[in-house]
Amino acid sequence: ALRGEQIPLGARMISVVAGYLAMMTDRPFAPRLSQSQAMAELERCAGTQFDGMLVRLFIAHLNGKKRSVASSL
């Protein structure tokens, strides 16, 4: 099984965004989370379920810190 950076970057990016979108959507088994709750859940799972660096970049982007995101790449 692939782990960490063995997983292609694109797949790790999709995982973060898909996880966020799932949290922000009403589901039959759970109501949607607020944006701050979804970001907190991403941070909680950073480094285990989600790539930690990509979570930090994604949250910075959501917070409007696009310059810090671009300089981190």
Side-chain angles (χ1 to χ4, degrees):
L2 298 178
R3 303 185 107 202
E5 292 192 6
Q6 294 174 329
I7 301 168
L9 179 61
R12 289 182 279 145
M13 293 169 76
I14 290 170
S15 175
V16 172
V17 175
Y20 176 78
L21 291 174
M23 292 179 227
M24 296 290 294
T25 303
D26 282 319
R27 293 159 286 167
F29 55 89
R32 71 185 295 273
L33 300 179
S34 68
Q35 183 176 25
S36 62
Q37 290 171 316
M39 290 190 303
E41 184 66 11
L42 286 176
E43 289 175 334
R44 187 181 74 77
C45 296
T48 55
Q49 182 176 349
F50 303 113
D51 181 299
M53 177 195 67
L54 294 177
V55 167
R56 288 189 298 278
L57 292 172
F58 184 66
I59 289 175
H61 176 75
L62 292 175
N63 286 328
K65 298 177 184 172
K66 293 179 181 152
R67 284 191 185 163
S68 66
V69 171
S71 65
S72 298
L73 296 176

